[in-house]
Amino acid sequence: MISPRKRIWGWWFFDWASQPVNTLLLTFIFGPYFGEVARGYFMGTGMDEEAAKAAAQSYWAFGLFIASLVILVMAPILGAIADGTGRRLVWVWFFSAVYIVSSWALWYVAPGGEIGTLRWAMFFFGLAFLSMEFATVFTNALMPSLSGEDDMGKISGTGFAFGYLGGLIALFIMLLLFAEGDNGTTLIGLDPALGLDPEAREGTRAVGPFSAIWYLVFMVPFFLWVKEPKIAAGRVNLGDAMGSVADFIRGLRFRKSLAAYLGSSLFYRDALNGLYTFGGIYASNVLEWQVTQIGIFGIVGGATAVFTSWLAGKMDSNRGPKPVIVWSIVLLLIVCTAVVGMDREQIWGIALDPASSTPDIIFFICGALIGGAGGPLQASSRTMLLRHTTPDRATEAFGMFALSGKVASFLTPGLVAVATWFSQSARMGIAPVILLFLVALILLLWVNPKGERG
């Protein structure tokens, strides 16, 4: 007999196991490394350095654009199928296998490659990214079976805090033992572990296999302790699933709070993903940071997120998720405005000494604030959605939640790609996220703090 507490711990381990997707692959290790590889390729074609930086960021954005389109189409359909059949865990198993294989394949993204190397990188990174997005839809839908509604805020917030702690430890391991700087050594001056060749960037490339092994090991508690409620299983019917999705969308005109919330989350979650996605590349291109510096930046943000996610979970349970969401967005708006207006020489016209540590300190503070607001924002987003659905339709709701995120998610990389291309500035290319946060904040005015249960 598996105790309720053990089931909750098992569910939390998904957050722990999957966090390296964002921490290591998307933001702090592989993303910036891809930026370096792509920048080197484009400079090799005759581009000057600034144009190559912009081209590298645009290529990364376009790859995420394609992955997000796939999630946009498939997430709600898969959610409806899962709710119709009563099977959710089988989908977690399937997408877990896809993630392990695709993240491992990132090992083969070597520096100095041709355009085929960039295509390989974006294909397998995109596959890892979308498989984890799909797995998250189904694990989130298991939340109502864990405990009563009053505990959902604490469970979600603690889960994100636990996940960020796992991502933080994984990042520490990569920086201390594997990822090499320009001098060929890790953050503490060691050669990359296991005899990996720093000249071939094998220490940094090990982030793919490392993430795969991390996930495989730490998903064991999830698969042992998290079980689905026993209900009569139905048959997979694609037509019924698509019909269910269409009915859900048509019904939104009668569910104003849910429609406004899905619209708001469409923009704010994608803006946050934009910060995570392009933050490392921004630091590499604009502030000229090495991978090890970007990793330290990630540690600062992750450490802040551990504490604030846990604290916000308590606030969520006591006062509801909406205040947490609103204040998180306001803080992120302030940070984004600062980031877009700065480089090594100035911040919104105020001169900085490019040789000093001042630009780095300012960006480290921004990183701490992004982590401090981003963790609570994601955790309370889950509980706000649960206030707008029922346990038997939770997977479909989270599938639509994923869809709402990806409607703007495929637009944001596109907007960043276009803004970067026309401005020829990696810094100004990040500006669209400010607009997305503003739109999200306005739409929250129509969201009932108690959801559809108030």
Side-chain angles (χ1 to χ4, degrees):
M1 181 69 178
I2 300 173
S3 69
R5 190 65 181 169
K6 188 173 284 188
R7 290 184 71 243
I8 292 172
W9 270 102
W11 187 81
W12 282 340
F13 262 99
F14 175 79
D15 280 335
W16 177 287
S18 62
Q19 185 60 30
V21 178
N22 292 313
T23 306
L24 300 185
L25 300 186
L26 183 64
T27 308
F28 300 117
I29 302 293
F30 184 76
Y33 170 68
F34 175 86
E36 291 179 21
V37 174
R39 185 167 67 241
Y41 166 75
F42 287 117
M43 289 179 68
T45 65
M47 289 186 180
D48 62 43
E49 185 175 2
E50 288 303 313
K53 289 177 180 179
Q57 182 164 294
S58 295
Y59 199 96
W60 180 249
F62 184 73
L64 288 171
F65 172 88
I66 298 299
S68 297
L69 275 179
V70 176
I71 298 168
L72 167 72
V73 174
M74 293 302 299
I77 296 174
L78 289 172
I81 289 174
D83 282 338
T85 60
R87 302 292 300 277
R88 292 163 183 168
L89 282 177
V90 66
W91 294 99
V92 180
W93 298 335
F94 173 74
F95 287 115
S96 294
V98 174
Y99 169 73
I100 290 168
V101 172
S102 53
S103 59
W104 192 289
L106 298 178
W107 163 260
Y108 298 100
V109 182
E114 298 299 321
I115 190 66
T117 301
L118 303 187
R119 290 170 179 165
W120 174 283
M122 285 311 312
F123 175 79
F124 282 103
F125 174 80
L127 197 58
F129 178 70
L130 66 87
S131 63
M132 198 48 55
E133 286 276 349
F134 289 146
T136 301
V137 168
F138 299 110
T139 54
N140 282 343
L142 292 167
M143 279 184 70
S145 68
L146 299 175
S147 185
E149 181 181 337
D150 291 343
D151 292 329
M152 286 297 102
K154 293 179 183 177
I155 290 173
S156 184
T158 304
F160 261 100
F162 188 57
Y164 273 112
L165 179 61
L168 199 60
I169 293 172
L171 186 56
F172 261 118
I173 295 172
M174 277 298 305
L175 291 174
L176 298 182
L177 300 180
F178 293 99
E180 63 280 284
D182 288 347
N183 59 1
T185 62
T186 68
L187 186 63
I188 55 176
L190 299 177
D191 292 331
L194 307 177
L196 298 174
D197 183 3
E199 291 189 8
R201 300 301 300 275
E202 289 184 349
T204 300
R205 288 160 51 196
V207 69
F210 178 85
S211 299
I213 294 170
W214 179 278
Y215 184 83
L216 183 63
V217 170
F218 290 113
M219 276 298 282
V220 171
F222 179 92
F223 288 124
L224 289 179
W225 298 340
V226 177
K227 305 299 179 183
E228 290 184 280
K230 293 183 179 180
I231 60 175
R235 298 178 61 186
V236 174
N237 188 309
L238 183 59
D240 288 348
M242 295 183 70
S244 179
V245 171
D247 290 342
F248 186 100
I249 294 173
R250 284 194 294 266
L252 286 176
R253 68 182 185 273
F254 305 112
R255 306 171 70 180
K256 293 183 180 179
S257 179
L258 175 59
Y261 176 59
L262 288 175
S264 177
S265 70
L266 176 155
F267 293 107
Y268 75 66
R269 287 187 297 130
D270 192 62
L272 181 61
N273 287 338
L275 288 180
Y276 291 154
T277 302
F278 297 103
I281 293 179
Y282 172 96
S284 175
N285 288 337
V286 177
L287 299 180
E288 300 174 359
W289 281 8
Q290 300 178 29
V291 168
T292 50
Q293 288 176 288
I294 295 169
I296 297 171
F297 173 80
I299 290 171
V300 171
T304 310
V306 171
F307 174 72
T308 57
S309 297
W310 171 79
L311 185 64
K314 290 183 173 294
M315 184 184 299
D316 186 323
S317 286
N318 292 330
R319 304 181 64 180
K322 187 174 178 179
V324 177
I325 292 171
V326 169
W327 284 108
S328 296
I329 293 174
V330 170
L331 184 56
L332 288 167
L333 265 171
I334 295 171
V335 173
C336 288
T337 303
V339 167
V340 168
M342 75 169 288
D343 54 31
R344 292 209 68 87
E345 298 180 351
Q346 57 84 40
I347 176 168
W348 287 106
I350 300 173
L352 301 173
D353 180 359
S356 73
S357 61
T358 302
D360 303 317
I361 292 172
I362 293 174
F363 200 57
F364 273 122
I365 293 172
C366 289
L369 294 175
I370 290 171
L377 182 59
Q378 294 175 88
S380 290
S381 294
R382 294 197 290 206
T383 53
M384 178 57 83
L385 184 65
L386 288 175
R387 294 187 175 207
H388 288 87
T389 189
T390 57
D392 61 319
R393 306 309 300 174
T395 318
E396 182 180 56
F398 275 106
M400 294 302 298
F401 193 55
L403 180 148
S404 75
K406 296 312 166 189
V407 166
S409 186
F410 80 81
L411 288 175
T412 299
L415 288 172
V416 170
V418 170
T420 304
W421 182 265
F422 280 101
S423 68
Q424 288 296 293
S425 167
R427 176 172 62 86
M428 293 306 299
I430 305 296
V433 299
I434 296 176
L435 177 63
L436 296 181
F437 278 131
L438 283 172
V439 173
L441 203 57
I442 293 170
L443 287 173
L444 282 174
L445 293 172
W446 287 273
V447 176
N448 185 339
K450 297 182 178 180
E452 295 179 346
R453 304 177 188 181

